[in-house]
Amino acid sequence: MNSDVLDHRKLGSVEEIWYISNYDKRQIQGWLVKPPNYDASKEYPLLVENHGGPVSNYGGRFSPEMQLYAAAGYIVFYPNPRGSTSYGEEFGNLLYNNYPGQDYDDVMSGVDEVIKKGLVSEDSLFVTGGSAGGIMSAWMIGKNNRFRSAAVVKPVMNWVSKTLVADNYYGYADYRYPGKPWENFENYMKFSPLSLVGNIETPTLVMVGMKDLRTPVSEAKQLYHALKWRKIETALVEIPESYHNISNRPSQLITKVAHILAWFEKSR
């Protein structure tokens, strides 16, 4: 049915991988997309894409974003760390009152596994993701300086302000973390990527939709302003007329991917 579009294009091949989390030896599933004209004799940069949710998952499904990143010359790794759906109740609830938690270890273990396979250059790592994936991307660059560049899309940076401002504030009462923000302030902040912003040295693009009510513009600006304050290379992209589903329209998808690839190209 898609022959009018795909007959004159070559897609990147999608591969499933399983690996061991270095935190507790759990089996974690992930996916790889290689560039359309992949050459096994070459080393490629690695682009890590973190999914949203975190109650969600990636699979062996067509993704225009993954294919566009691969077509730009990246091997794309997109994992399903703990908290992802379709692996059972126990696996899904490992982030309850513990988010971000060891999902970080799951993602970084996958990065190490791809490097170990000899597919990518350890010196050419990039990371992005939106919503929960934006949280994880910000968390990763706050925890380590292994990535050349990052694109943090529609993140939560501060669980206190997110809980009190976002459109789904009522769903967070005694759910994401025990107690209300004013009752458990230190715990809310412990899990906020803002708490790690003083560690970030990675050039970071920040992106948000201007009509996003789920992860409001104010969350993205907390990261952008903090990085500007610290004189870390950064830029802010605000997509007009875009809600939380930031790439709902084709033009918005193109805008998102083009900005991320242009930002990463500066560091390649």
Side-chain angles (χ1 to χ4, degrees):
M1 291 180 65
N2 296 309
S3 62
D4 58 331
V5 174
L6 298 181
D7 279 356
H8 59 285
R9 285 181 170 83
K10 186 175 182 181
L11 297 181
S13 63
V14 179
E15 300 176 16
E16 173 190 19
I17 65 168
W18 285 87
Y19 60 93
I20 303 296
S21 172
N22 63 19
Y23 176 73
D24 57 5
K25 308 306 178 186
R26 287 178 185 271
Q27 289 271 351
I28 305 295
Q29 187 181 32
W31 304 87
L32 291 173
V33 178
K34 295 176 179 176
N37 296 304
Y38 175 72
D39 182 348
S41 67
K42 296 180 179 178
E43 277 193 338
Y44 289 83
L46 178 67
L47 190 157
V48 181
E49 165 74 34
N50 294 299
H51 73 60
V55 183
S56 181
N57 66 60
Y58 283 135
R61 311 182 283 268
F62 178 77
S63 167
E65 290 183 53
M66 307 305 181
Q67 289 292 335
L68 287 166
Y69 294 143
Y74 295 87
I75 288 180
V76 186
F77 169 57
Y78 45 116
N80 284 339
R82 66 195 64 209
S84 299
T85 51
S86 76
Y87 302 95
E89 182 178 4
E90 189 263 347
F91 187 87
N93 284 334
L94 288 170
L95 299 183
Y96 182 64
N97 290 166
N98 181 40
Y99 171 67
Q102 290 71 49
D103 45 339
Y104 165 78
D105 301 284
D106 297 346
V107 175
M108 293 308 302
S109 297
V111 171
D112 291 336
E113 179 68 19
V114 177
I115 292 171
K116 191 189 307 179
K117 290 177 178 292
L119 298 174
V120 300
S121 170
E122 186 172 9
D123 298 325
S124 194
L125 307 179
F126 300 81
V127 62
T128 188
S131 196
I135 297 169
M136 178 51 61
S137 299
W139 197 256
M140 287 164 67
I141 59 175
K143 287 279 192 177
N144 70 74
N145 293 315
R146 295 177 61 183
F147 294 88
R148 283 196 182 186
S149 190
V152 175
V153 182
K154 53 182 181 181
V156 172
M157 289 301 297
N158 180 335
W159 284 112
V160 174
S161 55
K162 147 72 175 175
T163 302
L164 295 174
V165 173
D167 63 346
N168 63 341
Y169 71 94
Y170 52 85
Y172 281 78
D174 299 307
Y175 166 67
R176 180 67 77 189
Y177 308 108
K180 313 297 189 295
W182 54 91
E183 298 168 343
N184 198 1
F185 184 83
E186 290 184 1
N187 195 56
Y188 272 72
M189 289 307 298
K190 180 179 76 172
F191 289 104
S192 296
L194 187 65
S195 67
L196 301 177
V197 78
N199 301 332
I200 296 175
E201 301 294 336
T202 307
T204 301
L205 178 73
V206 185
M207 184 182 298
V208 68
M210 291 306 290
K211 290 190 174 181
D212 193 335
L213 303 177
R214 185 60 44 88
T215 54
V217 175
S218 57
E219 291 297 313
K221 284 190 173 181
Q222 288 182 63
L223 174 58
Y224 174 66
H225 290 163
L227 294 178
K228 290 292 284 186
W229 201 347
R230 293 193 53 237
K231 296 182 169 45
I232 303 300
E233 186 178 2
T234 186
L236 177 65
V237 174
E238 299 175 329
I239 300 184
E241 301 300 316
S242 183
Y243 295 87
H244 189 60
N245 189 356
I246 198 168
S247 53
N248 192 47
R249 300 202 299 259
S251 60
Q252 293 169 340
L253 173 63
I254 292 167
T255 297
K256 175 189 173 185
V257 172
H259 277 93
I260 291 172
L261 288 175
W263 182 257
F264 287 170
E265 192 63 31
K266 287 160 56 76
S267 301
R268 281 185 64 173

